[in-house]
Amino acid sequence: MTAISTPQRRAGLVVPPWFLRHAGVLAVLLLIGVFTATSSDVFLTGANLLNVSQQIAVVAVLAAGLTLLMTAGGIDFSLGAIAAVAHGVAAQLIVAGVPDGPAVLVTLALGAAIGLVNGVMVTWFKVTPFVATLATSTALGGAALLIIGGQSVSIGDHLMMIGFGEVLGVIPVSVVIAAAVCVAAALVMRWTAFGRNAFAIGGNESAARLSGIPVVRTKLLLYTLGGLLAALGGVMLVARLGAASPGAGGLHLELTVVAAVVIGGTALHGGSGTMVGTVLGVLLLGVVANSLNLLQINPYYQDVALGAVLAVAAIANHLRGRRT
Amino acid sequence: MDVRIELAGVSKSFGGAVALREIDFAVNGGEVHALVGMNGAGKSTLVKILSGALVPDAGEVLIDGAGHGALTPRRARALGVSIVHQHRTLVPQLTVAENMLLGRLPRRAGAVDWRRAHAEAARALAALDVRVPTRAVAGELGPAQQTLVEIAREVATGGKVLVLDEPTASLGGADAATVHDLVRRLSSAGISIVYISHHLDEVLGLADRITVLRDGRRIVTAAGADLDLAGLVRAMTGERISHQRPRRDRAAGETVLEIDALASGARLAELTLTVRAHEVVAVLGPAGDGQSELFDLLSGRRRPSGGRIRVAGADVAAGDVGAALAAGLRCVTGDRLAHGLVPGLTVDENLDLTRRGLRRPWLVRWGRLHRQAAERRSRYGVATIQADPPVSALSGGNQQKVLLAKWLDAPVQACLLEEPTNGVDVAAKADIHQLVDGLADQGTAVLLASADVEEVLRLADRVVVVRAGRVVADLPVEGLSRDALVSLTVGGTAS
């Protein structure tokens, strides 16, 4: 037993703990921002920043669900595929003449149902989350293409409100949705028993179970919520693109989401995580992509950069975890 | 006679706690040298130093006369010192031959030469007269055969000093005898054995010499023939005043917890006992024996293979955590970091977990949570420097108090305390003992699962002694002498 107290190195500092915790990501974000701003006149223009914020809105919505899930020690590799399926289903429903509102609701319900299936596999059948969601991800990747018949399905001027609407004449609706989701997730993680139970389960599932915390129900809810938010991301995707098309969502979106959450400092083994970190991770990846774009660097480097940032963040998290 | 391995004036402490004080210990070639002592006497620390897993603070480890200041487990093994642990370490899915030759399977042209592997393994087993087929899968062997294979493996890899840590802990009489036979054969083949056991009768029958440790000191080293059971027990427990058992004037009330013929495979056979309100009943056994099953069975983590549990007259569904909690039964683990606390969450939130699990509120009200936690902390004497640090930052004693406060601060019908002072310092131990007294005073039926004789005498009103999974005694503690109790746990004649 190594139940010996660890010294508190940070006692006495008056910096708020969340700032200290995310100082690394924040510093990298500022660094890249300053560098891009000095190299390109476009970066700090309102149009570009709006563009960036709209691009990352979908990632942020998915990442919020994943942060909650990973805090409880779970993982979901099917979020991108659920988003792809959702954006196809929403498009086909609209093409079939279903009004926007019901179409969106049905899509969201479908996403939640898929998430529940993931949850059932993980909790009742005790399949490792990685394998369970990899299986659904693969199956849904194919399903997404089948739904749209492998072609673009245009939705005309439907869902304009979500795709191009603005609040107060400047802020895109998609950004407002993403912000609302992230704030709600942060509140859930701090103030609800459900959110706190996720921390307890991720931190020590056995102790949580013995304390009477409903471990299975909480996990089912977490996967369901993840699926629901992924479907919302899919709706935002189709609204913004004006059409469902092959290649939207899917694996690339998934990896970006996982990367953002990990960069934000959420532990892969569960027990700790913050929405502030996740939002910073999403912002960082968005800014890096935009920066590579503006600096006219070969787009193939995008994935290289994504992988590199992820590796550095994971190593930094490991070193930090070892120290405490 | 030639000395194979020797500790000269070895001391070791952890933090402030002294585990070993100036120990001299020597094992001759071909000798069976038994090491006995109560829990916490320092046996495991001594073994870890022998095997290079720990470096002594002072003193020296000599192997074949040469000093080894920086002994590592790898070096020790290379020099012929190996350990066979109580928890068997064979890879259960692999065959006996593969286990015997783990990491050094014979190869021809890069591929494993299976014929030679089985021949080599068979030869090594035959040399020790161990009759186990080399193609058998290790996990399907009985526990005694697994132990034999493990010992044979260590000998085959060049072990000249074998440390056997409780090799017969979970074996029945006949199985234990096959292990004893092997030990005698090894000894006559010139291999030195350090034999650790709680079963004193087997130690007396087997050992050439016996060293007794108590509180980190070597009390005596004597030839096995010169010692008897009573003398050995006295050396283990010492002459000090046995325990300050507070006078208690509480009278046991109604029966609250009833355990009826509870069984769990070979680990626990038909345990029957009742605990009444205001009463502390201890189930005492050697470390890892039947009493260590109780936590899993009573908490609902695992389904017993037989028997019933009743709380306040109502059956508790087997293997159901929620049912146990709802019945008012609280099980406090002896392994606080594995099953008791969430180390990454703060003290206050950990203290609130059981309440949250029972009440299932929607929201967490932090203000109220901190206020209630503050009261609990002061009642249980949890001292922290920071306002509300994560539990992982606390000392063992404070973690243990948080654990008890988390589970027991609301009125409970009955509770199981598993090793409640596991790994805590003396001051915290005294505090925890008072807390347990207080529980019984309030009317809780307290069941104590323990391997610690001192603690049982200090806390319990009644004691049930288990050995090798069976109940060997059920006695009131009042008037029971410590030596008598020790004799019962470690293998006296009373069974």
Side-chain angles (χ1 to χ4, degrees), chain A residues 98-295:
Chain A
V98 180
D100 287 8
V104 168
L105 288 180
V106 168
T107 307
L108 295 185
L110 177 70
I114 296 171
L116 183 62
V117 169
N118 279 333
V120 166
M121 279 203 281
V122 169
T123 54
W124 292 358
F125 297 108
K126 308 252 185 305
V127 182
T128 320
F130 176 84
V131 175
T133 58
L134 192 64
T136 39
S137 169
T138 311
L140 293 174
L145 292 174
L146 288 173
I147 287 165
I148 55 172
Q151 295 169 1
S152 267
V153 177
S154 169
I155 58 167
D157 58 358
H158 288 273
L159 298 178
M160 282 291 278
M161 180 58 199
I162 296 175
F164 298 96
E166 284 169 349
V167 175
L168 305 175
V170 267
I171 310 166
V173 167
S174 60
V175 173
V176 172
I177 293 175
V181 166
C182 289
V183 168
L187 291 176
V188 164
M189 288 173 78
R190 175 72 188 158
W191 291 97
T192 67
F194 168 66
R196 297 312 299 174
N197 288 349
F199 279 90
I201 292 167
N204 186 343
E205 186 167 335
S206 178
R209 189 159 79 91
L210 289 166
S211 301
I213 284 170
V215 172
V216 169
R217 193 202 305 168
T218 304
K219 283 187 174 177
L220 285 175
L221 255 173
L222 284 168
Y223 281 98
T224 307
L225 186 64
L228 177 79
L229 289 176
L232 177 58
V235 170
M236 288 162 67
L237 211 56
V238 72
R240 187 168 153 63
L241 297 174
S245 58
L251 193 61
H252 191 266
L253 176 60
E254 175 64 42
L255 292 181
T256 311
V257 169
V258 173
V261 176
V262 171
I263 289 167
T266 298
L268 269 168
H269 48 76
S272 80
T274 61
M275 273 314 296
V276 173
T278 294
V279 169
L280 287 175
V282 171
L283 281 174
L284 179 61
L285 291 182
V287 168
V288 167
N290 183 243
S291 163
L292 293 174
N293 232 331
L294 295 179
L295 302 180

Side-chain angles (χ1 to χ4, degrees), chain A residues 24-25 28 262-263 265 309-323:
Chain A
V25 186
V28 174
V262 171
I263 289 167
V309 174
L310 178 58
V312 169
I315 292 168
N317 282 347
H318 168 69
L319 293 178
R320 198 188 57 200
R322 213 170 41 174
R323 211 174 49 200

Side-chain angles (χ1 to χ4, degrees), chain B residues 122-140:
Chain B
R123 204 175 323 121
L125 290 170
L128 298 175
D129 204 12
V130 174
R131 294 200 187 87
V132 177
T134 59
R135 289 176 198 280
V137 175
E140 290 166 9

